[in-house]
């Protein structure tokens, strides 16, 4: 059964870089049938797509975050990662990693809360 | 960017009620729309893909309809476990965009 698990610091200082990793189990990240993405949810607010990456390395980013975001894939570890630079309090959110399959939608990890504070 | 306008933002209903949530896209997205259910403190779960196809295991009281720019999610007979927040998502083009959410509360 597919499982995705986010990991990384729960507290990041303003202006620093938020780094999260998603470990995929029960399925291979090296499949052209899927893409892998990050979605976030500020406290008591809605969902915002951050970006998606294919195992080939092709990436798509939300224009509102594009200048600060980098996604990457490590096929040897069956992981993909998010880096968000120059964070501020507005980046405080629950960050979800997820697998996208056309015709099925997003399969989500449980999410991890990242707080930006000094 | 395609904007997804979801309404209402919240509603109160009783067990057994029929509930309809709508999403309007700012441009034609064909059938590239899905619906997700989120309960407090949990990750969203897939309900419906391609406008009207139920994910495996989703009760048949859930249904979706629409095309182009107007879409709806209907719960035919609200059950206690259905009280949650619902989101639509368009995947016709990047950036992927969600509706603002509809919180379904107990009356």
């Amino acid at each position: 059964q597919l499982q995705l698990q986010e990991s990384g610091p729960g507290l990041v200082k303003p202006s620093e870089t938020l780094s999260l990793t998603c470990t995929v189990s029960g399925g291979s990240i090296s499949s052209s049938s899927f893409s892998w993405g990050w979605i976030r949810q500020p406290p008591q607010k809605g969902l915002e797509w951050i970006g998606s990456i294919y195992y080939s390395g092709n990436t798509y980013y939300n224009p509102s975050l594009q200048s600060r975001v980098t996604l990457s894939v490590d096929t040897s570890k069956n992981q993909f990662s998010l880096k968000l630079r120059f964070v501020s309090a507005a980046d405080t959110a629950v960050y979800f990693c997820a697998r996208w399959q056309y015709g099925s939608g997003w399969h989500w990890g449980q999410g991890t809360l990242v707080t930006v504070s000094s | 960017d395609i904007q997804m306008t979801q309404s209402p933002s919240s509603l109160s209903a009783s067990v057994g009620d029929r509930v309809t949530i709508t999403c309007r896209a700012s441009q034609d997205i064909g059938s590239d729309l899905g619906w997700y259910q989120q309960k407090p403190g949990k990750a969203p779960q897939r309900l419906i893909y391609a406008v009207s196809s139920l994910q495996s295991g989703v009760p048949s009281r859930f249904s979706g309809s629409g095309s182009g720019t107007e879409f709806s999610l209907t719960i035919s007979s609200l059950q206690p476990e259905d009280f949650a927040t619902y989101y639509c998502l368009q995947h016709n083009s990047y950036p992927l965009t969600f509706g603002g959410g509809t919180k379904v509360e107990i009356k």
Side-chain angles (χ1 to χ4, degrees):
Chain A
Q1 183 177 355
L2 179 70
Q3 291 189 321
L4 297 94
Q5 179 66 58
E6 306 87 352
S7 59
L11 181 64
V12 182
K13 289 183 168 56
S15 79
E16 295 191 346
T17 296
L18 180 160
S19 296
L20 294 174
T21 295
C22 183
T23 300
V24 179
S25 58
S28 173
I29 204 168
S30 302
S31 171
S32 59
S33 297
F34 312 114
S35 64
W36 308 89
W38 293 92
I39 297 154
R40 71 179 183 178
Q41 184 171 38
Q44 306 306 316
K45 293 190 177 180
L47 300 164
E48 180 182 34
W49 173 77
I50 298 170
S52 296
I53 186 167
Y54 291 79
Y55 86 98
S56 61
N58 287 348
T59 54
Y60 299 86
Y61 298 132
N62 193 319
S64 67
L65 299 169
Q66 185 162 3
S67 64
R68 300 192 289 132
V69 171
T70 302
L71 301 192
S72 59
V73 169
D74 186 337
T75 56
S76 67
K77 295 182 179 178
N78 224 35
Q79 295 176 334
F80 62 104
S81 298
L82 163 70
K83 290 189 185 299
L84 181 64
R85 297 175 292 278
F86 308 114
V87 297
S88 69
D91 295 309
T92 292
V94 175
Y95 286 76
F96 298 98
C97 65
R99 186 190 77 177
W100 172 262
Q101 181 176 18
Y102 188 84
S104 179
W106 289 110
H107 180 106
W108 305 68
Q110 67 183 23
T112 186
L113 174 63
V114 179
T115 301
V116 179
S117 174
S118 55
Chain B
D1 299 4
I2 297 174
Q3 308 303 316
M4 300 301 294
T5 303
Q6 189 172 337
S7 62
S9 57
S10 66
L11 64 90
S12 294
S14 302
V15 173
D17 284 354
R18 180 182 181 88
V19 167
T20 297
I21 299 166
T22 63
C23 257
R24 175 176 295 172
S26 60
Q27 63 190 69
D28 191 335
I29 61 170
S31 60
D32 294 333
L33 182 111
W35 291 94
Y36 295 80
Q37 177 194 65
Q38 187 179 31
K39 296 183 178 178
K42 300 294 187 182
Q45 299 293 315
R46 297 172 291 187
L47 283 180
I48 287 175
Y49 63 94
V51 177
S52 60
S53 297
L54 261 61
Q55 291 287 349
S56 175
V58 173
S60 59
R61 62 180 179 273
F62 290 92
S63 64
S65 63
S67 65
T69 61
E70 297 279 342
F71 303 91
S72 63
L73 170 70
T74 297
I75 309 171
S76 61
S77 177
L78 202 62
Q79 298 302 300
E81 60 268 30
D82 301 336
F83 291 95
T85 301
Y86 294 84
Y87 295 92
C88 61
L89 166 71
Q90 72 79 21
H91 59 91
N92 180 261
S93 64
Y94 290 112
L96 307 185
T97 45
F98 290 90
T102 297
K103 186 173 184 179
V104 177
E105 299 176 301
I106 301 172
K107 182 183 286 185

